Structures are given as C-alpha cells and as structure tokens.
C-alpha cells in the first residue's frame, strides 16, 4: 500500500469518512503513537476496500 499521509485537517477527513461510511465510529479512529498504519488497516477492512482503493479514497479527501 502506498504510504497514506495524515496531513491537512485530519478531523475534516475523519468526518468525511464517517459520513461516507456510517459503519465507522470514533473508536475506529483511535490509535497509539506509532500505530497509524494499524488504525488505517482496521478502517480499510471495516469499509471493505482493498488497500489501493482505500489509498485513493484518502488521497481524494
């Protein structure tokens, strides 16, 4: 998977993801320092997208 950068307004991106995928909760966006990739993988699996599809979604936000 391409590296997903959490730059820009992360709260805005979280909000857009939650609007697009009602299955996501605030708990899905929690992560410990250094475990960003784990959180992103959890979200990607929960919304049923491939790594490439999820990377594209994140880039478009």
């Amino acid at each position: 998977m391409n590296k997903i950068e959490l730059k820009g307004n992360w709260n805005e991106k979280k909000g857009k993801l939650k609007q697009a995928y009602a299955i996501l909760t605030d708990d899905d966006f929690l992560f410990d320092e250094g475990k960003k990739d784990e959180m992103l993988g959890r979200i990607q699996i929960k919304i049923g997208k491939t790594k490439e599809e999820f990377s594209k979604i994140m880039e478009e936000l």
Side-chain angles (χ1 to χ4, degrees), residues 28-45:
D28 294 321
F29 293 97
L30 297 177
F31 67 100
D32 293 326
E33 189 66 32
K35 295 194 177 190
K36 173 187 74 171
D37 291 334
E38 183 180 307
M39 176 209 49
L40 294 172
R42 240 186 358 257
I43 294 169
Q44 173 245 315
I45 290 168

Side-chain angles (χ1 to χ4, degrees), residues 6-25:
L6 298 181
K7 56 186 171 185
N9 189 340
W10 174 236
N11 288 329
E12 183 179 324
K13 290 182 181 191
K14 285 192 315 187
K16 287 180 179 181
L17 279 171
K18 285 170 58 178
Q19 285 178 351
Y21 303 97
I23 193 169
L24 296 174
T25 65

